[in-house]
Amino acid sequence: MTHNAVIEVKDLAKKYGKNDVLKNISEEVHDGQVICVIGPSGAGKSTFLRCLNKLESPTKGQIKFNGTEITTLSEKELSTVREKMGMVFQNFNLFPNMTVIQNLVLAPIKVKKMSSQDAEKEARSLLKRVGLEEKANAYPDSLSGGQQQRVAIARALAMNPQVMLFDEPTSALDPEMVGEVLAVMKELAEEGMTMVVVTHEMGFAKQVADEIWFMADGYIQEQGTPTEVFDHPKTDRAKDFISKIINS
Amino acid sequence: MKELKQLLIMMAMVIVGITAMSMAPSSVHAATDNSLAAVQKKGTLVLATSPDYPPYEFQVNQKGKSKIVGMDVSIAKKIAKDIHVKLVIKSMTFDSLLVALETGKADMVLGGMNPTPSRRQSVDFSDIYYMGGQDFLINKADASKYPNQKSLANQKIGAQTGTLQYNLAKKYIPGVTIKGMDKGTDLVLALKTHKLEAVGMEKPTAEAYAKNDSSVIAIHSSYKLDKNSTGSAIAFRKGSDSLVAAANKSIREIKKDDLINKVYLNQAGKYLKVNTANTSMGHYWKYFAEGVEYTLIIAAVSGIIGVLLGVILALMRLANNKLLKGIAVGYIEFVRGTPLMVQVLFVYFGVGVIINLPALVSGIIAVSLNSGAYIAEIIRGGIDSVSKGQDEAAKSLGLSKTDIMRSVILPQALKNIWPALGNEFISLIKESSIVSIIGVTDLIYQLNIVRADTYRGVMPVFVAMVLYFILTFGLTRILNHFEGRMQHDS
Ligand SMILES: Nc1ncnc2c1ncn2[C@@H]1O[C@H](COP(=O)(O)OP(=O)(O)O)[C@@H](O)[C@H]1O
Ligand SMILES: [Mg+2]
């Protein structure tokens, strides 16, 4: 399987001052795989995800993307890596000074040097895909949380990425809006997108994930299929955590 | 610690720069005297004067044009004619006159100026051309109460700050309380509203006031004075011996024919009548219009340059490069730590030693450099106010630093700081009035001219106040309009 690893992480560690947030992580993400990362708050899940596209610089270790070492790249060179890794944030982070369609076309035009017609055509079909065609000219602040997150997914997809990173995409949403966002993500997974998703949505993880990584105290403590991790957790930490989210 | 060190080095560099510039003039007048030849070579004799002192010098509004006239101007004209060059008049505040001379902005200064020993230390003087004598202006109603100088003992007396009149009253009138003000018009206003009992003035000035305002009269002083502290003389840059000699020659001719009393003062009197024939503010609208025009030019140009400079400084300050950061921090701290007035004087007179900048350009440069520092801090605050998530989202899309700044961060920052920026523009309109000290004809400058010309103390101030309000209120409306347009997205 190693021959088609999209992301390879080796001996990754990250410190904030004296705080050891990530302690020696080695993992691989393969083409077409959907990985769900679970674990208690403060475990280092966000930090791990943000190291993958180098929004955070690791203190130690290597990260390869398509075989290229990215930890040593300059900010400028990173741009070509980042455009291939879409990222969706907990707080959507849409650009409030632009309309929905402007949010979608900005990077394709500026980074990929697409013509604005092509970019807009592409953007409209993506909006259709996430069910928000009619919101093209609305401003983000006039949309519901669920709609904003779907726009954010469409914006990341507009760069035609190879991998999508999701950092708790539904935790800031009202419960009734969680479903519409998960539906879009599920569809994406079914189309074969490679995805790393930090989430607490057990149902989604069980249905969609190829692998579950359980993270605590800066380590990936346990990993396996959803059945293995959710139904037969091996460590006490995992048992404890899973019983908590099932009962919540 | 390192940053502090950089800051100190920056400051030291600035101070060294200033000192170097202030040293420069001394080398200028160390040169051997070719002052007359130099003036004749360039074909112009530049007179600096403060035209708010009738009948010595003042502005007259004739046939829709305003020009500087008065006894001093007539004398200057004669000197220019005698050495076959053209007279050019530069106007500025009295305090700036001698600096203008020392820094080469002007060749000579006439301003009813007394050649006191302390002034002689920094400039050369011609012979005395006029002995004005000293008077007091008092309210007509007090004529019997204050018949002479002696009766003014233990009273409140006003005089222009830094003048001979101020020092004389302080020294020779027992128990007196002296109140110093910058403008003769303000002093007269204080007199008429009984905040002062008398105002010390040069005789011709006091007489001119008395002639134009029936509620005040002039009484003679009984100071016993030597010529040097009471007569008027022309100031020249130190070492201008040949120019001084040429001026003295003209002065001798003036004295021989008694031109001052027979011709010049009469002419000045006629001009004064033109001014005071109609002292309605409407008659002086052109003065105010020009003032508004210059105030707007300075505020607009400085505002635009200030924003550009502010953006650059803010980006430098946020940069990773320690040197750029140090320069920006040093600049901002230095500018914010010194008064705008000093900066204006520094650009006009200090930098003027190296390149001779016109007053308007100097004013705009100083105000721009100043507002740039303040705007930089506003912009930096605006950039900081945009959430980190915006930067990260933009980065995750592969956008370059420049594109992120231009398309994502700055537009949002601008919206956040718009009210603060608006405040800065409004205060620019008001604060830029300080440029009047170097003779830029902005609204404040024109206000002082109108007050001096019309002998009216309050009305011109009121007009200027209304005009300033219209300007700032208009600007507020425009800014609100744009703020409204930026709001559509929320
Ligand atoms: N920028 C940062 N500076 C300092 N500490 C940080 C920073 N980001 C995260 N941390 C710390 O790292 C730890 C892990 O955070 P995070 O990766 O956000 O955990 P999770 O996403 O699993 O909740 C926490 O203790 C957090 O306080
Ligand atoms: Mg997190």
Side-chain angles (χ1 to χ4, degrees):
Chain A
M1 276 278 261
T2 43
H3 57 280
N4 58 356
V6 183
I7 302 173
E8 292 167 73
V9 178
K10 205 159 169 265
D11 303 329
L12 175 67
K14 172 72 182 172
K15 283 185 193 191
Y16 288 113
K18 284 196 181 120
N19 186 2
D20 272 319
V21 177
L22 301 178
K23 309 163 190 164
N24 208 346
I25 295 180
S26 298
E27 289 292 346
E28 286 182 2
V29 180
H30 296 271
D31 195 25
Q33 242 185 348
V34 176
I35 312 265
C36 282
V37 184
I38 61 169
S41 165
K45 306 179 296 294
S46 296
T47 307
F48 173 70
L49 205 63
R50 294 152 58 81
C51 281
L52 297 184
N53 66 352
K54 256 200 96 187
L55 284 182
E56 303 290 351
S57 300
T59 314
K60 207 182 109 230
Q62 288 97 45
I63 300 168
K64 280 187 181 162
F65 179 66
N66 289 332
T68 312
E69 177 60 49
I70 67 164
T71 47
T72 51
L73 295 183
S74 71
E75 197 70 7
K76 224 179 203 158
E77 294 165 320
L78 273 174
S79 154
T80 52
V81 171
R82 285 178 179 149
E83 66 173 283
K84 297 200 189 82
M85 286 202 234
M87 188 164 204
V88 175
F89 301 84
Q90 187 173 345
N91 296 316
F92 331 132
N93 290 341
L94 293 177
F95 307 133
N97 56 320
M98 302 176 200
T99 61
V100 164
I101 191 102
Q102 286 167 341
N103 264 277
L104 264 67
V105 299
L106 178 70
I109 291 174
K110 298 269 185 198
V111 182
K112 289 193 155 176
K113 312 290 175 205
M114 257 177 152
S115 75
S116 54
Q117 283 105 318
D118 289 351
E120 217 166 284
K121 214 170 124 202
E122 184 94 341
R124 282 187 196 280
S125 86
L126 280 168
L127 283 177
K128 193 169 173 185
R129 203 163 137 192
V130 300
L132 289 169
E133 223 181 346
E134 77 286 4
K135 295 291 186 188
N137 295 315
Y139 279 91
D141 288 353
S142 68
L143 304 182
S144 73
Q147 290 172 328
Q148 289 193 50
Q149 196 58 299
R150 283 186 281 154
V151 172
I153 294 171
R155 179 176 69 180
L157 291 174
M159 289 302 283
N160 203 6
Q162 196 182 344
V163 183
M164 286 284 282
L165 310 174
F166 292 85
D167 190 0
E168 301 200 34
T170 58
S171 354
L173 297 178
D174 291 337
E176 73 270 21
M177 290 172 186
V178 170
E180 64 193 59
V181 173
L182 291 181
V184 169
M185 291 168 63
K186 203 179 287 175
E187 214 181 291
L188 210 53
E190 279 159 11
E191 284 164 18
M193 175 64 77
T194 311
M195 293 163 60
V196 182
V197 185
V198 175
T199 186
H200 292 149
E201 297 295 332
M202 292 271 285
F204 173 82
K206 273 186 175 165
Q207 245 183 322
V208 178
D210 298 308
E211 254 183 48
I212 306 289
W213 296 353
F214 171 70
M215 215 173 151
D217 301 330
Y219 291 107
I220 296 192
Q221 313 248 354
E222 226 177 297
Q223 69 188 99
T225 62
T227 329
E228 284 168 355
V229 177
F230 288 133
D231 299 342
H232 310 288
K234 293 190 224 52
T235 59
D236 289 344
R237 288 299 306 262
K239 273 179 202 159
D240 187 44
F241 176 75
I242 287 159
S243 74
K244 265 186 201 150
I245 53 171
I246 287 171
N247 296 331
S248 67
Chain B
M1 230 6 234
K2 218 169 165 186
E3 254 149 78
L4 183 73
K5 207 165 141 194
Q6 258 164 3
L7 198 100
L8 288 174
I9 292 169
M10 275 302 307
M11 297 245 198
M13 272 160 58
V14 172
I15 289 162
V16 166
I18 294 168
T19 330
M21 281 173 202
S22 64
M23 303 291 266
S26 52
S27 61
V28 169
H29 35 79
T32 52
D33 176 41
N34 56 359
S35 53
L36 179 60
V39 165
Q40 281 172 328
K41 191 168 165 234
K42 66 184 163 94
T44 55
L45 179 64
V46 181
L47 163 70
T49 190
S50 170
D52 54 1
Y53 199 53
Y56 286 85
E57 49 267 319
F58 53 101
Q59 252 171 286
V60 70
N61 183 13
Q62 210 174 24
K63 297 191 193 96
K65 279 204 160 175
S66 94
K67 60 176 181 174
I68 298 171
V69 295
M71 166 184 125
D72 282 347
V73 178
S74 303
I75 294 168
K77 269 193 185 141
K78 173 157 171 57
I79 295 170
K81 201 176 147 211
D82 290 349
I83 59 172
H84 312 292
V85 295
K86 240 185 92 195
L87 181 71
V88 174
I89 305 177
K90 271 193 189 170
S91 61
M92 59 194 70
T93 55
F94 190 81
D95 291 334
S96 302
L97 291 174
L98 291 187
V99 190
L101 203 56
E102 290 174 275
T103 55
K105 295 267 169 202
D107 301 313
M108 65 176 184
V109 165
L110 278 90
M113 189 178 275
N114 313 117
T116 57
S118 60
R119 285 187 181 134
R120 279 188 192 281
Q121 283 178 0
S122 50
V123 293
D124 282 352
F125 278 101
S126 71
D127 294 340
I128 302 242
Y129 61 83
Y130 185 72
M131 291 287 295
Q134 302 295 328
D135 273 10
F136 296 101
L137 204 63
I138 58 168
N139 285 306
K140 202 176 206 165
D142 293 338
S144 54
K145 202 164 143 201
Y146 304 123
N148 51 33
Q149 180 179 322
K150 224 171 146 191
S151 58
L152 290 171
N154 303 314
Q155 297 301 332
K156 248 192 178 166
I157 294 184
Q160 270 177 286
T161 315
T163 60
L164 178 67
Q165 292 76 33
Y166 186 98
N167 296 329
L168 285 175
K170 198 167 159 187
K171 205 161 160 190
Y172 295 113
I173 302 178
V176 76
T177 312
I178 289 272
K179 178 101 183 86
M181 295 189 191
D182 274 345
K183 301 264 163 228
T185 36
D186 289 329
L187 288 164
V188 174
L189 198 62
L191 175 71
K192 287 167 71 172
T193 51
H194 299 279
K195 293 185 181 76
L196 298 171
E197 296 302 307
V199 177
M201 278 184 176
E202 291 260 350
K203 192 172 159 198
T205 317
E207 282 172 355
Y209 270 107
K211 221 182 261 174
N212 284 289
D213 189 334
S214 59
S215 68
V216 295
I217 57 167
I219 59 169
H220 296 312
S221 76
S222 49
Y223 299 127
K224 282 181 201 66
L225 297 164
D226 79 299
K227 269 171 102 175
N228 276 344
S229 47
T230 173
S232 302
I234 308 170
F236 293 91
R237 202 163 23 256
K238 262 234 178 300
S240 311
D241 296 345
S242 53
L243 206 49
V244 172
N248 283 341
K249 189 165 162 264
S250 302
I251 290 172
R252 276 196 296 279
E253 286 172 23
I254 290 169
K255 279 184 177 160
K256 197 179 90 212
D257 298 336
D258 199 14
L259 287 178
I260 290 182
N261 288 314
K262 283 189 180 145
V263 184
Y264 299 162
L265 276 176
N266 288 341
Q267 278 173 354
K270 273 188 205 132
Y271 279 129
L272 269 179
K273 280 217 186 72
V274 173
N275 272 349
T276 49
N278 184 350
T279 62
S280 77
M281 290 300 106
H283 189 66
Y284 279 86
W285 73 270
K286 276 206 165 144
Y287 282 64
F288 289 111
E290 189 184 338
V292 167
E293 186 190 333
Y294 276 91
T295 290
L296 281 179
I297 288 174
I298 295 162
V301 177
S302 305
I304 292 165
I305 301 177
V307 167
L308 294 177
L309 187 65
V311 170
I312 293 168
L313 284 169
L315 293 180
M316 280 169 70
R317 200 168 173 172
L318 292 167
N320 289 327
N321 185 317
K322 286 230 166 105
L323 180 69
L324 290 181
K325 201 176 196 157
I327 292 172
V329 171
Y331 177 86
I332 291 167
E333 293 304 323
F334 188 79
V335 168
R336 293 203 309 176
T338 49
L340 177 56
M341 181 173 153
V342 175
Q343 293 162 5
V344 169
L345 291 173
F346 178 73
V347 172
Y348 188 53
F349 296 120
V351 180
V353 172
I354 300 162
I355 353 163
N356 200 354
L357 298 168
L360 177 63
V361 176
S362 305
I364 288 176
I365 289 175
V367 176
S368 302
L369 292 178
N370 180 277
S371 75
Y374 285 91
I375 291 176
E377 284 300 275
I378 295 176
I379 290 175
R380 185 174 70 105
I383 290 173
D384 282 347
S385 77
V386 178
S387 77
K388 203 161 167 269
Q390 291 289 311
D391 181 53
E392 291 179 345
K395 262 191 194 159
S396 77
L397 289 165
L399 287 162
S400 70
K401 262 186 163 173
T402 323
D403 284 335
I404 294 173
M405 210 22 109
R406 204 172 44 201
S407 305
V408 178
I409 309 287
L410 281 182
Q412 293 183 54
L414 186 66
K415 189 186 144 196
N416 292 346
I417 62 176
W418 195 250
L421 218 47
N423 273 341
E424 176 63 23
F425 291 147
I426 300 244
S427 74
L428 209 53
I429 289 184
K430 296 181 292 179
E431 313 279 297
S432 67
S433 62
I434 204 83
V435 298
S436 61
I437 57 173
I438 54 169
V440 178
T441 54
D442 80 325
L443 193 44
I444 289 290
Y445 181 91
Q446 300 290 36
L447 158 69
N448 288 326
I449 295 295
V450 173
R451 293 180 78 197
D453 284 1
T454 59
Y455 292 93
R456 294 182 67 176
V458 180
M459 202 54 199
V461 175
F462 180 71
V463 171
M465 196 159 85
V466 171
L467 288 173
Y468 269 117
F469 178 70
I470 292 172
L471 290 183
T472 54
F473 187 70
L475 180 63
T476 308
R477 300 308 298 245
I478 294 170
L479 291 170
N480 285 349
H481 172 75
F482 283 109
E483 187 172 7
R485 280 180 44 169
M486 279 192 283
Q487 290 305 334
H488 56 26
D489 44 319
S490 62

